[in-house]
């Protein structure tokens, strides 16, 4: 099937950003995804990977925020991605910030959002997850309500209620649009939070991987603190990372000054540098997911070489459409073969290892 996205793009770009997003979700729910994504072909074996005892057909996933209320996770999987992440979902429904709150920075291939966890709440997500076919990997990204006075209780509530319906959990302590949320990344608070969440996960969904998603805007000390608590807390992975509150000087869009989290191309370099640093600080022992500005096979490959076992993207889809997923997968397979790697796992972290012979990640192997 041809890629029809170039025909639809002008219509979507003419709409306000949030209206365009709603229309995209509707179109996916109506089953129109393959029309714009082009024909799907089976993934080459070189892209397959077993992580946390789960078979990922390829390492390219959809980042949180695209499908906040789990409306279309299976339609996203049908676009050819290896996994999809729903959420951030909050325990109780909440509206988020006043509109407008989502801005395209066309000149910079970037987006600024200050959505503020608009969420239909856990009950709506659960209703949808209960009836979906359990094929393909769908993670659930959990947040806290803005007016919550006990953030830990919100995350524990999320893990308890989602239980075995998630293929993995993400504890999101890094969105910039919920006041106080990123303070949960401080060493003692994070250590305490993660230990509590791991205990509940062990009780209700033992074996379901639990990841924490961090911000790119961390001081050197905070980065070291997170790496130090990650292993002992018992979490299974780290997503590096969320949107940034920084505004790199190269931005040219008139909307660059809008308040909120910046994503897309300008985030690629800083988030990849942070990824490599977290890989080194954790000794390559905890699987990492690289997110931030992935818009090509070369970008995905760079994230993997920096230390990511999986990558995620969102903003590039806004500009390029869903056929990008197939292009990234094809190009990534070529780059791996070109450089003599037999699998994704062999390439993970090669640019971040300080010395030859670093231990490979535990629990990671190439799918046969
Ligand atoms: C509109 C929008 C909404 C987002 N909402 C969430 C969210 O609810 N939870 C979350 O963890 N990350 C959220 N993110 C961050 C993305 O998951 C991702 O980490 C970030 O955008 C970097 O990837 P990208 O440059 O490919 O977009 C959102 C991003 C965008 C652009």
């Amino acid at each position: 099937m041809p890629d029809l996205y170039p025909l639809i793009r002008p219509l979507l770009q003419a709409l306000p950003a949030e209206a365009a997003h709603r229309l995209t979700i509707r179109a996916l729910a109506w089953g129109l995804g393959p029309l714009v994504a082009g024909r799907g072909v089976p993934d080459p074996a070189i892209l397959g990977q077993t992580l946390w005892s789960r078979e990922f057909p390829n390492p390219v996933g959809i980042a949180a925020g695209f499908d906040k209320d789990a409306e279309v996770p299976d339609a996203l999987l049908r676009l050819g991605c290896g996994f999809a992440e729903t959420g951030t979902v909050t325990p109780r429904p909440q509206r988020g910030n006043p509109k407008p709150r989502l801005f395209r920075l066309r000149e910079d291939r970037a987006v600024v959002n200050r959505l503020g966890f608009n969420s239909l709440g856990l009950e709506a997500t659960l209703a949808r997850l209960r009836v979906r076919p359990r094929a393909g990997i769908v993670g659930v990204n959990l947040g806290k309500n803005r007016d919550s006075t006990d953030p830990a209780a919100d995350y524990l509530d999320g893990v308890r209620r989602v239980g075995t319906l998630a293929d993995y959990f993400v504890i999101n302590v890094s969105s910039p649009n919920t006041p106080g949320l990123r303070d949960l990344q401080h060493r003692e608070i994070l250590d305490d939070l993660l230990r509590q969440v791991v205990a509940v996960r062990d009780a209700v969904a033992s074996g379901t991987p639990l990841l924490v998603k961090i911000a790119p805007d961390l001081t050197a000390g905070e980065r070291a603190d997170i790496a130090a608590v990650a292993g002992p807390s018992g979490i299974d992975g780290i997503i590096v990372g969320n949107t940034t509150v920084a505004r790199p000087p190269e931005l040219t869009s008139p909307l660059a000054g809008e308040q909120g989290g910046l994503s897309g191309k300008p985030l690629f370099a800083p988030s990849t540098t942070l990824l490599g640093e977290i890989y080194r600080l954790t000794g390559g022992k905890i699987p990492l997911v690289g997110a931030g500005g992935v818009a090509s096979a070369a970008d995905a490959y760079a994230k993997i070489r920096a230390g990511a076992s999986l990558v995620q993207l969102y903003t590039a889809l806004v500009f390029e459409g869903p056929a990008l997923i197939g292009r990234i997968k094809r190009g990534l397979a070529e780059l791996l073969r070109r450089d003599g790697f037999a699998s994704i796992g062999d390439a993970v972290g090669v640019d971040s290892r300080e010395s030859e012979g670093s231990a490979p990640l535990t629990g990671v192997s190439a799918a046969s």
Side-chain angles (χ1 to χ4, degrees):
M1 214 171 275
D3 173 11
L4 297 183
Y5 188 74
L7 300 178
I8 299 164
R9 184 170 31 213
L11 165 71
L12 289 176
Q13 300 283 336
L15 291 171
E18 201 167 340
H21 183 68
R22 279 311 308 161
L23 188 60
T24 304
I25 295 279
R26 280 277 145 73
L28 286 166
W30 289 331
L32 300 180
L35 275 181
V36 288
R39 188 200 304 274
V41 290
D43 291 325
I46 196 168
L47 295 183
Q49 191 178 190
T50 305
L51 254 186
W52 308 300
S53 306
R54 278 147 177 77
E55 305 280 323
F56 287 79
N58 71 71
V60 184
I62 305 291
F66 190 94
D67 185 15
K68 283 180 184 275
D69 296 303
E71 292 174 272
V72 290
D74 297 289
L76 290 174
L77 292 173
R78 281 193 291 275
L79 295 177
C81 51
F83 63 109
E85 189 170 311
T86 69
T88 294
V89 57
T90 55
R92 286 171 287 109
Q94 61 177 34
R95 287 182 183 283
N97 288 322
K99 296 178 186 175
R101 53 191 181 175
L102 181 59
F103 308 90
R104 301 182 198 99
L105 278 55
R106 274 193 204 98
E107 298 81 352
D108 302 302
R109 306 298 261 189
V111 160
V112 167
N113 92 80
R114 53 169 178 267
L115 294 169
F117 286 172
N118 51 317
S119 173
L120 295 179
L122 261 178
E123 222 29 72
T125 281
L126 293 179
R128 290 179 180 136
L129 293 180
R130 279 188 201 112
V131 296
R132 71 167 284 266
R134 290 304 292 270
I137 296 172
V138 174
V140 179
N141 180 308
L142 299 168
K144 74 166 197 82
N145 280 108
R146 185 186 174 99
D147 61 1
S148 166
T149 50
D150 185 353
D154 281 19
Y155 293 103
L156 298 177
D157 191 31
V159 174
R160 217 174 265 128
R161 286 164 69 190
V162 174
T164 55
L165 291 172
D167 293 310
Y168 68 90
F169 294 110
V170 179
I171 302 303
N172 178 12
V173 288
S174 50
S175 288
N177 302 308
T178 295
L181 190 82
R182 290 173 301 157
D183 296 343
L184 300 174
Q185 295 171 113
H186 293 160
R187 186 172 184 144
E188 289 79 23
I189 301 172
L190 186 66
D191 190 34
D192 184 47
L193 172 67
L194 294 181
R195 284 174 194 273
Q196 290 190 60
V197 180
V198 165
V200 171
R201 184 277 315 265
D202 289 347
V204 301
S206 163
T208 302
L210 186 82
L211 285 68
V212 64
K213 183 166 178 179
I214 65 173
D217 311 309
L218 299 167
T219 64
E222 288 167 336
R223 293 167 187 205
D225 283 351
I226 287 172
V229 303
S233 69
I235 60 157
D236 304 285
I238 305 175
I239 303 184
V240 186
N242 221 309
T243 57
T244 177
V245 293
R247 292 294 182 271
E250 73 266 17
L251 297 180
T252 59
S253 165
L255 296 172
E258 287 291 345
Q259 208 192 328
L262 175 76
S263 56
K265 194 165 185 275
L267 184 56
F268 177 76
S271 61
T272 308
T273 302
L274 175 61
L275 178 67
E277 206 178 323
I278 297 290
Y279 181 85
R280 280 189 294 275
L281 287 167
T282 52
K285 293 197 175 67
I286 299 176
L288 305 179
V289 181
V294 172
S296 68
D299 294 343
Y301 188 47
K303 294 267 188 206
I304 290 167
R305 291 184 61 113
S309 295
L310 301 167
V311 299
Q312 292 180 316
L313 71 163
Y314 181 164
T315 302
L317 291 173
V318 172
F319 297 103
E320 309 248 353
L324 176 64
I325 295 162
R327 289 199 294 276
I328 291 179
K329 290 193 296 181
R330 281 191 297 280
L332 185 56
E334 270 167 32
L335 290 167
L336 288 164
R337 286 192 202 104
R338 182 198 71 185
D339 292 349
F341 294 114
S343 69
I344 300 272
D346 291 346
V348 171
V350 291
D351 288 346
S352 299
R353 289 183 197 154
E354 270 148 16
S355 58
E356 283 302 307
S358 295
L361 292 174
T362 47
V364 182
S365 63
S368 51

